[in-house]
Amino acid sequence: MDGPRQDATLDEEEDMVIIYNRVPKTASTSFTNIAYDLCAKNKYHVLHINTTKNNPVMSLQDQVRFVKNITSWKEMKPGFYHGHISYLDFAKFGVKKKPIYINVIRDPIERLVSYYYFLRFGDDYRPGLRRRKQGDKKTFDECVAEGGSDCAPEKLWLQIPFFCGHSSECWNVGSRWAMDQAKYNLVNEYFLVGVTEELEDFIMLLEAALPRFFRGATELYRTGKKSHLRKTTEKKLPTKQTIAKLQQSDIWKMENEFYEFALEQFQFIRAHAVREKDGDLYILAQNFFYEKIYPKSN
């Protein structure tokens, strides 16, 4: 490669922006902490997108401000942005270069159970912080048996709208259109979507594909696991009866279909990127090269 092309490649990397539009209670804090721990060493910036009351839907004027900030704030590039916001299509705003989207999703019932207890007991990340439902000792099983609102099937509807985006139909609970759009975005607009249950493999793939940001992430996750994992306290696993009751709802069926779709996509990508040997995964070396290059240079 000649000099100018190498310089162009470097400029592309320095102009890179990643958006991690975190779904609540999917190990998002654990993963984000790794990005914070690596940012000084790998020379990039990490910024938290703090929306009022954690509202995942931005106003139209805030969407414009957000897109303008991310694309023109050169001092913050390369940048890793994270926050509880639904997918936003930058192409709608006439942007030439779109950011790279990544995300992690989780089994929908496990995510809801974790969120239910998080609102009541918090976690080991900020143990002194008072939570919204603190003092409510009712278990998740008791909530489902009594038909409580905090454990209603409607509360499962979150991962689909986060991937669907800012259209009104995305937030209509049980919308088939929203699920189809979420699937489309996952495949076409996201660089990589992992699952909580296989977080280490997700980190390994990111390090292999985007070393500018994630060089050293796999080793950091493995060696510093206890410091990175955020665990909801007082969490009691639901009974089979509780799970069966939730699984009767059409909302669960749709959210679970989306989760299974994401899992299949992730495992497909992983199968083509790694090989297993003696129980360990290894990233494949480059498997393509160029030949028959004409005209011949002197």
Side-chain angles (χ1 to χ4, degrees), residues 108-222:
I109 291 180
E110 288 183 10
R111 193 207 65 80
L112 180 59
V113 171
S114 181
Y115 190 61
Y116 178 88
Y117 285 111
F118 172 73
L119 291 179
R120 284 151 180 79
F121 301 103
D123 54 29
D124 57 2
Y125 187 65
R126 290 187 289 178
L129 188 64
R130 183 173 179 83
R131 299 296 173 179
R132 184 149 47 96
K133 297 283 185 174
Q134 193 165 321
D136 181 2
K137 305 291 185 183
K138 190 182 298 179
T139 68
F140 187 81
D141 288 326
E142 291 169 344
C143 178
V144 171
E146 295 172 10
S149 60
D150 281 351
C151 56
E154 288 76 13
K155 295 291 184 182
L156 291 166
W157 189 259
L158 191 67
Q159 299 188 130
I160 285 174
F162 256 72
F163 279 79
C164 178
H166 277 68
S167 302
S168 62
E169 188 65 19
C170 295
W171 298 89
N172 285 342
V173 178
S175 166
R176 173 64 57 173
W177 182 90
M179 186 179 71
D180 291 341
Q181 185 64 39
K183 287 180 176 180
Y184 177 88
N185 288 343
L186 185 146
V187 171
N188 294 285
E189 304 296 344
Y190 280 80
F191 180 76
L192 184 65
V193 177
V195 294
T196 304
E197 297 78 7
E198 298 174 13
L199 190 60
E200 183 176 319
D201 294 355
F202 171 70
I203 293 169
M204 181 188 294
L205 289 174
L206 283 177
E207 180 173 357
L210 299 173
R212 177 66 184 80
F213 284 81
F214 299 105
R215 184 178 290 107
T218 309
E219 185 65 22
L220 184 61
Y221 180 78
R222 286 171 178 167

Side-chain angles (χ1 to χ4, degrees), residues 105 183 186-187 193-195 198 256-272:
I105 70 171
K183 287 180 176 180
L186 185 146
V187 171
V193 177
V195 294
E198 298 174 13
N256 192 64
E257 181 181 332
F258 179 67
Y259 169 76
E260 294 286 349
F261 178 83
L263 178 62
E264 183 179 359
Q265 177 73 4
F266 174 70
Q267 291 177 339
F268 178 83
I269 292 172
R270 183 180 61 189
H272 287 80

Side-chain angles (χ1 to χ4, degrees), residues 227-241:
S227 64
H228 288 113
L229 283 180
R230 175 181 186 177
K231 295 177 181 174
T232 302
T233 56
E234 301 289 335
K235 185 165 65 177
K236 295 179 178 65
L237 296 177
T239 63
K240 291 180 179 179
Q241 291 87 345

Side-chain angles (χ1 to χ4, degrees), residues 56-156:
V57 178
M58 289 181 170
S59 66
L60 185 61
Q61 58 271 32
D62 273 349
Q63 292 177 41
V64 173
R65 294 182 187 111
F66 180 60
V67 170
K68 186 177 181 181
N69 288 157
I70 282 189
T71 53
S72 62
W73 198 357
K74 293 181 180 179
E75 293 79 7
M76 290 297 117
K77 290 182 179 180
F80 180 96
Y81 291 77
H82 66 98
H84 296 311
I85 57 168
S86 57
Y87 169 77
L88 184 62
D89 181 9
F90 276 58
K92 288 172 61 175
F93 300 86
V95 173
K96 291 181 180 179
K97 183 178 180 181
K98 298 197 291 186
I100 294 172
Y101 270 95
I102 62 172
N103 217 327
V104 177
I105 70 171
R106 186 176 186 177
D107 175 275
I109 291 180
E110 288 183 10
R111 193 207 65 80
L112 180 59
V113 171
S114 181
Y115 190 61
Y116 178 88
Y117 285 111
F118 172 73
L119 291 179
R120 284 151 180 79
F121 301 103
D123 54 29
D124 57 2
Y125 187 65
R126 290 187 289 178
L129 188 64
R130 183 173 179 83
R131 299 296 173 179
R132 184 149 47 96
K133 297 283 185 174
Q134 193 165 321
D136 181 2
K137 305 291 185 183
K138 190 182 298 179
T139 68
F140 187 81
D141 288 326
E142 291 169 344
C143 178
V144 171
E146 295 172 10
S149 60
D150 281 351
C151 56
E154 288 76 13
K155 295 291 184 182
L156 291 166

